[in-house]
Amino acid sequence: MPTSPAPADTGSRVIQPLYAEVLRRNPGETEFLQAVREVLESLGPVLTQRPELVDARIVERICEPERQLIFRVPWSDDRGRVHVNRGFRVEFNSSLGPYKGGLRFHPSVNLGIVKFLGFEQVFKNALTGMPIGGGKGGSDFDPKGRSDAEVMRFCQSFMTELHRHLGEYTDVPAGDIGVGGREIGYLFGQYKRITNRYESGVLTGKGVGWGGAQARTEATGYGCVMFTAEMLRARGTDLDGRRVAVSGSGNVALYAIEKAQQLGAKVLTCSDSGGYVVDEKGIDLPLLKEVKETSRGRVADYARLRGRDATYVPHDGNGGPGPWQVPCEVALPCATQNELDEGAAAVLVRNGVQAVVEGANMPTTPEAVRLFQDADVAFGPGKAANAGGVATSALEMQQNASRDSWTFAHTEDRLAEIMRHIHDSCHDTAERYGAPFNYVIGANIAGFELVANAMLAQGLI
Ligand code: NDP
């Protein structure tokens, strides 16, 4: 394990062998190990102050999922050819509530990715202050280029197995990369058909007309920008007139762009796995939404339709800085894990970036995070900054349970309140542990303490 920021005391001494054991038991799960290491590096001071957590082996238990499901998903395409994918659901921790976390459909999905996402989700969900445990799932199925009928057959096959593990008091999935409103609709339909129950609270991200919450679609992106605004406010500034770079062009990116523009920022970039767009006049969001949400197109199509105002740059495949080479004051990585590395971070710092806030899960490599912290760039970790999505999912569950539906404005107000609460709890915890403005330490410790306290109270299970 690399050098820890914690002092060389009891807590830090406990953590070294603990991480070595996680490494031994989860070989090759690179992203999971990265996520665990990042959290453990923050925990030394807590374990020093609270030896009862060490005695109860809370950290060892938190690093081991409560249950891991892997299953076969057979389906046939429009030409009758049979395909076999792999499905996953990792039910990580239920000490605060039913397992809660999205499903990802992407060819890169494997057990290590799902475990990293599930592990992050445990702390993120705790930070929201809502009664939800942590889990995550998905499949190596690639919905890109598939017809609606193919996606439907895949979702039906996936849910035919998964349904037996779900329930509004047990495990409540939602969307993630490759799983949006269309997929949630097919998954919910199959759950209802198999169980003969209209159990609205079993999935979140549903359509607004059939149990979905207003503002859930917008929540992750909006929440990320609300968190950014709180971080800037704590430093005595705001987003008005700022140049902002965004990566991705999916659900999180689109609504991060929307909220940043509402707060007066100028958003210059967006991207997908093919390349990125620079639009010096500011991204034309209605056009981008039309391309992405209505036509299921690419950012290259946006650039073509936008004409001379936008430049499209294909990724060079050599891991260059991509959209991060565009000079900006705020960077919001909203695509995928490890998309912003040390090289890109150095370019951002050189160009005077003041805040980097993660809309995606773990998009910044550990080396890049260190570089930002050393350069005194405000850094917002995803488990705090993108928690608005799952928080609004919990609000959706609340509305489902009470057979109620709230207005957009009311839900957005609740989201803003939750993001402020998450910000303040990360900020204050970091200060309490002698690391002012270190939101990584603040988020990790604040989330950990909530989960650890519940685990202690619930006994050895
Ligand atoms: P979407 O599927 O809607 O969009 C993902 C975007 O990221 C697309 O633009 C996609 O491009 C791009 N992308 C995906 N993989 C890669 C890659 N390997 N290289 C470059 N670009 C890539 O997903 P979301 O917007 O929902 O999720 C984005 C991130 O936010 C993920 O990390 C997710 O875990 C996280 N998140 C999402 C939440 C939600 O509520 N949706 C909640 C909290 C976190 P392309 O189309 O070319 O693949």
Side-chain angles (χ1 to χ4, degrees), residues 102-108 116-117 121 124 136 142-144 174-180 216-221 247-254 270-275 292 297-299 315 333-339 358-363 382 385-390 393:
L103 298 171
R104 175 177 292 191
F105 292 169
H106 192 272
S108 63
F116 124 63
L117 292 164
Q121 197 81 45
K124 178 189 309 192
K136 200 83 186 189
D142 188 357
K144 241 184 255 149
D176 190 76
I177 290 180
V179 179
R216 172 61 189 92
T217 305
E218 293 81 358
T220 309
S247 64
S249 51
N251 171 261
V252 179
L254 286 179
C270 63
S271 69
D272 58 29
S273 54
K292 294 295 301 182
R298 317 285 300 155
V299 297
H315 292 311
C334 295
T336 195
Q337 63 273 359
N338 292 327
E339 54 162 308
E358 297 184 323
N361 283 313
M362 208 169 72
N386 70 34
V390 75
S393 277

Side-chain angles (χ1 to χ4, degrees), residues 229-245:
E230 291 295 327
M231 286 174 70
L232 292 175
R233 195 174 55 79
R235 291 184 166 221
T237 179
D238 60 29
L239 269 164
D240 194 24
R242 302 275 169 194
R243 289 169 62 90
V244 176

Side-chain angles (χ1 to χ4, degrees), residues 141-161:
F141 170 70
D142 188 357
K144 241 184 255 149
R146 292 288 171 199
S147 69
D148 287 353
E150 289 173 326
V151 171
M152 181 180 75
R153 284 196 294 277
F154 174 81
C155 289
Q156 290 178 341
S157 181
F158 186 86
M159 186 52 92
T160 300
E161 171 57 33

